[in-house]
Amino acid sequence: MNEEAGIFGATYLRISRDKGENEDTLQNHRELMQEFCAEHDYTFELYEEIVSGGKHNLEARPELQRLIDNMERYQAIFAVSLDRLSRNGLVSQQIKQLCIEHRIKIITPSQTFDLAGSQEDRLLYDVSSIFATMEYEMMGRRNKMNKIQRARRGEYVVGKPAFGYRRNPVTRRLEIYEPEAKVIRYIFKLHQEGFGNRKIAGILKREGYKPARSNSFCPSTIGRVLKNPVYKGTVVFQNRKRVKENGEYRYKLLETVITDNAHPAIIRPEEWELVNRQRAEHGEQTVVTREKPADKTGTTMLKDLLFCGICGRKLVIRRERHGVYTIKPCGYELPDGLEKCYNRGIRLQFLEEEVVSKIQAHKQRLQDHLQLLQQQELESISAGHQETLARIAAELKETERQQSKLLQLGLSGIFSSEEIDSKRQALVEQGQMLLDRREKVLQQMRDMDEQPFADRLTQTIRLLDEFQYQTAEGQNEALKKFVKRIRYMRTMPEEIRKLSTRNPKRQAHPFSYTIEYF
């Protein structure tokens, strides 16, 4: 008799296109788990997704995140194998800790892991997770080396083919798709006639041309088309590596593989080179519009703080000939690239008066908040940091225990010295990550000691008390210490916009704004 009959759990299915898997593989796994659960009298809710198991960010794995959010409802997690849950060491450990906390088993057709009740199962889970991570890394290296060699042969290996081409599944090279290639030639022709990106996008939209994956061409798409070397018959592959620098992950370029004459060119190479040389020269000649230096216009209260409430761009404050400051109309291109931003300007004085009134109301809110903080004495914030440090200490202790177990396995001859070294290195990296987290929390606690929140509020309130007595430059410096940005918006119907700027009806047309505080 099955002692675990009647268990209700979550079945998690995952495939990765990086390994050449497809919906057929997913269907096979689904049928396998349905038969397995039926045979053992298990009931389940299904979670499935197509994503790489090496992803370290759960936001990139929405179905796994949803399972974790619902974990307290289940008695078990059913999976084809452990590596289907994750091939990333950090995510594997997160799943393990959650299973221990909620006393949830992980059940596969070949093995049951009772992580909360069996130390041996926890060790076996850790070892299996390390193997899955190592396999994922080796697969990634082999796949990257394979792509580099294929790119050098002229094969297309960088995702979906560019507009105007189709990839031959036999030769793995690009072939011209004439219904789209004629649009590419037309774009280059319009550029040669002197049209810019926005004008070209507008012409294509009016004449009914559409890209492959949206309703219309936009200026940024036109720019990418004109500078894409694929259209002159060249394949470019960038070998990048994900590295951590200054606490943040980024991609570091290791090598660029360029193969000319890899496939038929839609644009003659000499024509492509001419177009891009012209674009580079034009870029050097273009003068970016920006606020004039303060020594010419003077510093205003809101300098560098105003942003468009429609498109998000920074707004320009200018001084007119008679000495009055105005907010210049925005005029930047909107994201669709077919029209300019319609945010209108106004005399700066009107907005400044509104801002002064609002920040005085903000001062009252800060005073109320300061009084509340003084009553609470920030005890809850400190307790939260202490709780985080305790969790990190427990995880560090578990990592040290796993390293000790690896040594025992090496002495017993179960794994070779090379395998033990690889597993130990993975645990060392995990331990270093935990130490980095601990140092970050400690630094936050030190920062609180150096300048408590109450002191910061007091400093801001003092700045506001003195605000009306300061010069425009002093007011600007004070605002930048607690105001992140001010979003300004003023839209006008066509009949109002056509009136003179001196017309009382236009001058009285309302505006709106929001202040974002640090």
Side-chain angles (χ1 to χ4, degrees), residues 15-21 51-53 55 136 139 143 147:
I15 63 171
S16 173
R17 294 197 188 278
D18 294 342
K19 296 173 59 179
E21 298 173 332
V51 65
S52 170
K55 298 285 187 182
Y136 174 77
M139 287 168 48
N143 187 39
K147 283 186 175 182

Side-chain angles (χ1 to χ4, degrees), residues 283-500:
E284 293 175 358
Q285 296 170 358
T286 300
V287 178
V288 179
T289 302
R290 64 181 184 224
E291 289 188 47
K292 294 181 180 179
D295 58 353
K296 292 184 179 180
T297 63
T299 299
T300 62
M301 178 200 301
L302 304 183
K303 181 177 173 61
D304 300 323
L305 292 172
L306 290 183
F307 290 81
C308 178
I310 297 175
C311 70
R313 300 291 191 96
K314 184 180 176 183
L315 294 175
V316 174
I317 298 174
R318 64 184 176 190
R319 185 169 61 183
E320 307 295 349
R321 285 179 295 180
H322 48 285
V324 174
Y325 287 94
T326 61
I327 301 172
K328 185 179 177 182
C330 184
Y332 284 102
E333 290 181 357
L334 292 174
D336 61 11
L338 301 180
E339 59 179 337
K340 292 185 177 182
C341 182
Y342 44 86
N343 199 5
R344 312 308 300 175
I346 198 172
R347 182 176 293 189
L348 182 62
Q349 175 188 349
F350 299 151
L351 180 58
E352 287 180 337
E353 292 172 352
E354 289 285 335
V355 169
V356 169
S357 175
K358 181 160 286 191
I359 63 173
Q360 292 304 320
H362 179 65
K363 182 179 74 171
Q364 182 59 52
R365 289 193 295 271
L366 293 180
Q367 289 171 334
D368 295 341
H369 191 51
L370 175 61
Q371 184 178 1
L372 180 62
L373 280 178
Q374 289 171 338
Q375 293 172 355
Q376 294 178 341
E377 297 181 354
L378 301 179
E379 291 181 359
S380 60
I381 298 175
S382 178
H385 283 144
Q386 294 293 345
E387 183 179 346
T388 301
L389 289 175
R391 286 200 302 268
I392 293 174
E395 293 179 29
L396 281 169
K397 186 175 180 180
E398 176 65 16
T399 302
E400 293 172 358
R401 189 189 66 79
Q402 292 178 28
Q403 292 187 41
S404 177
K405 282 289 185 181
L406 280 178
L407 180 59
Q408 296 176 21
L409 291 172
L411 293 174
S412 63
I414 295 178
F415 295 124
S416 66
S417 60
E418 290 80 7
E419 291 172 327
I420 292 295
D421 288 341
S422 177
K423 296 176 178 58
R424 183 185 294 113
Q425 180 60 33
L427 290 171
V428 168
E429 292 177 359
Q430 181 179 338
Q432 185 58 51
M433 179 197 68
L434 292 170
L435 290 173
D436 292 343
R437 283 177 53 198
R438 185 176 67 180
E439 179 57 33
K440 185 176 181 180
V441 174
L442 291 172
Q443 183 59 49
Q444 290 173 350
M445 296 179 71
R446 286 193 291 268
D447 290 343
M448 287 180 59
D449 291 338
E450 292 170 2
Q451 187 179 18
F453 290 161
D455 289 351
R456 299 178 190 178
L457 291 179
T458 301
Q459 181 182 10
T460 302
I461 292 170
R462 187 180 301 114
L463 287 173
L464 291 172
D465 286 337
E466 301 170 355
F467 189 81
Q468 59 181 321
Y469 306 110
Q470 295 178 338
T471 63
E473 184 175 358
Q475 291 175 336
N476 182 248
E477 292 180 1
L479 286 176
K480 288 178 179 177
K481 292 180 179 179
F482 63 93
V483 172
K484 186 175 183 180
R485 62 173 61 89
I486 299 173
R487 294 190 181 276
Y488 161 86
M489 185 167 67
R490 190 187 191 209
T491 60
M492 294 181 179
E494 185 67 18
E495 63 272 14
I496 298 295
R497 190 178 62 81
K498 288 182 177 180
L499 298 175
S500 167

Side-chain angles (χ1 to χ4, degrees), residues 38 81 84 255 260 266 270 345 376 397 403 439 494:
S81 58
R84 293 295 160 173
E255 176 186 10
D260 294 322
I266 294 177
E270 54 271 24
Q376 294 178 341
K397 186 175 180 180
Q403 292 187 41
E439 179 57 33
E494 185 67 18

